[in-house]
Amino acid sequence: MSLRIVVTVKYVPDATGDRHFAKDLTVDRDDVDGLLSELDEYAVEQALQIAENADDAEVTVLTVGPEDAKDALRKALSMGADKAIHVEDDDLHGTDVMGTSLVLAKAIEKAGYDLVISGMASTDGTAGVVPALLAERLGVPQVTLLSEVSVEDGVVTGRRDGDTASEQLEAQLPAVVSVTDQSGEARYPSFKGIMAAKKKPVQAWDLSDLDIEAEEVGLEGAWTKVDSATERPARTAGTIVTDEGEGGKQLAEFLASQKFI
Ligand SMILES: Cc1cc2nc3c(=O)[nH]c(=O)nc-3n(C[C@H](O)[C@H](O)[C@H](O)COP(=O)(O)OP(=O)(O)OC[C@H]3O[C@@H](n4cnc5c(N)ncnc54)[C@H](O)[C@@H]3O)c2cc1C
């Protein structure tokens, strides 16, 4: 039977763009270009490698996000994923980690899965908790933060590198794993891959398709509330010291004044 791999991929605001908060203190997503979260490219790569080593496997990429999030799906499809699911609904505006994990879990259940692969964290929210929440909601084992992962005979195995030790972990499928940026370089989409992606199926679901009520998500359903948000001041040019024999002394004085030494 085919190994069904679902990869959760997030469409995030481009970190190099000019990002702002909207009036309700959510990120103003309309105002900035987005892209597939770089950390999720590693998850797609590992899914493709597992699929390539399996007799029969299918990789589905899943995103919860606005209309433009299709760009993230297209990128993952052009890397080699087989099909995509896009969950989009106006009522998702302001959804926090709890709501996001609920929507993802319902979509994963509806799609059917043996293995879920997530990134270690998104590059915008960086909460790093969605994979664990997914495992809890799905009622399956979680093996997170893997820098190496493989699947054999219905068991997922991986290595988690800590500061003082590396652990070898395994779990019976179905399971949720997350992979780190050390898991292996993500491939670039080839021209052939980009052309093929245009013909691959992208399924669109909204909240009603997943039997989720509007109150369970959005700002209303969020477990957390942002009370205030202050944009950081723009970076200043800093101090330039011209070394006329006293440069080292001035540098040491600067570091001492900032309590670095
Ligand atoms: C339209 C919209 C509006 C939102 N508004 C807010 C808001 O106002 N306030 C707020 O706190 N949150 C909001 N969110 C949710 C937020 O952007 C995050 O998706 C969510 O809080 C998860 O946090 P994180 O990205 O830090 O997850 P992490 O736990 O850091 O993510 C880990 C991994 O989980 C997966 N993942 C996470 N999010 C998604 C996703 N959306 N789709 C697919 N895979 C995913 C990825 O594989 C990722 O690498 C909104 C989401 C959407 C879609």
Side-chain angles (χ1 to χ4, degrees):
M1 203 180 113
S2 178
L3 175 70
R4 297 162 303 167
I5 307 172
V6 178
V7 190
T8 56
V9 293
K10 187 176 180 188
Y11 179 74
V12 296
D14 186 348
T16 61
D18 203 11
R19 291 167 295 164
H20 299 285
F21 294 108
K23 282 207 179 73
D24 62 2
L25 300 182
T26 59
V27 175
D28 188 347
R29 286 161 198 270
D30 296 333
D31 208 26
V32 62
D33 287 339
L35 73 179
L36 168 62
S37 175
E38 192 193 327
L39 290 170
D40 291 343
E41 290 186 18
Y42 296 99
V44 176
E45 176 61 39
Q46 290 312 309
L48 295 175
Q49 286 189 26
I50 290 169
E52 284 158 5
N53 289 326
D55 291 337
D56 183 18
E58 184 179 61
V59 177
T60 303
V61 286
L62 163 67
T63 198
V64 179
E67 167 69 21
D68 291 349
K70 282 195 178 64
D71 290 353
L73 295 175
R74 285 282 165 224
K75 169 101 189 255
L77 290 172
S78 63
M79 287 171 72
D82 299 297
K83 55 186 185 140
I85 299 170
H86 182 191
V87 183
E88 188 194 1
D89 199 300
D90 288 347
D91 288 327
L92 283 168
H93 177 78
T95 305
D96 68 355
V97 287
M98 298 308 290
T100 301
S101 62
L102 173 70
V103 178
L104 285 171
K106 291 265 192 170
I108 290 165
E109 268 170 346
K110 187 173 163 90
Y113 72 102
D114 299 297
L115 176 65
V116 178
I117 307 185
S118 298
M120 61 192 278
S122 68
T123 54
D124 63 339
T126 62
V129 294
V130 165
L133 289 168
L134 279 180
E136 178 67 21
R137 289 192 185 279
L138 295 167
V140 300
Q142 53 161 313
V143 193
T144 52
L145 300 174
L146 299 180
S147 35
E148 210 174 78
V149 60
S150 59
V151 171
E152 210 171 334
D153 297 332
V155 175
V156 59
T157 309
R159 195 185 75 238
R160 183 194 287 150
D161 294 320
D163 286 341
T164 53
S166 288
E167 298 164 307
Q168 199 65 31
L169 304 159
E170 64 173 46
Q172 198 76 37
L173 297 182
V176 174
V177 306
S178 70
V179 297
T180 72
D181 54 354
Q182 302 301 306
S183 57
E185 226 21 56
R187 67 193 68 186
Y188 285 106
S190 62
F191 179 70
K192 203 172 144 208
I194 293 168
M195 297 311 286
K198 295 184 186 191
K199 293 191 185 133
K200 290 180 179 173
V202 179
Q203 184 130 37
W205 288 337
D206 62 14
L207 290 179
S208 65
D209 290 315
L210 301 175
D211 290 327
I212 298 173
E213 300 297 327
E215 312 81 73
E216 294 178 85
V217 294
L219 286 170
E220 203 184 333
W223 286 29
T224 49
K225 180 172 177 290
V226 179
D227 285 330
S228 70
T230 313
E231 296 198 11
R232 286 213 193 146
R235 279 191 172 197
T236 56
T239 309
I240 296 172
V241 175
T242 310
D243 187 8
E244 288 165 351
E246 292 282 300
K249 191 164 167 260
Q250 288 184 52
L251 189 59
E253 278 169 5
F254 173 78
L255 291 174
S257 72
Q258 302 296 314
K259 300 202 175 7
F260 286 122
I261 54 174

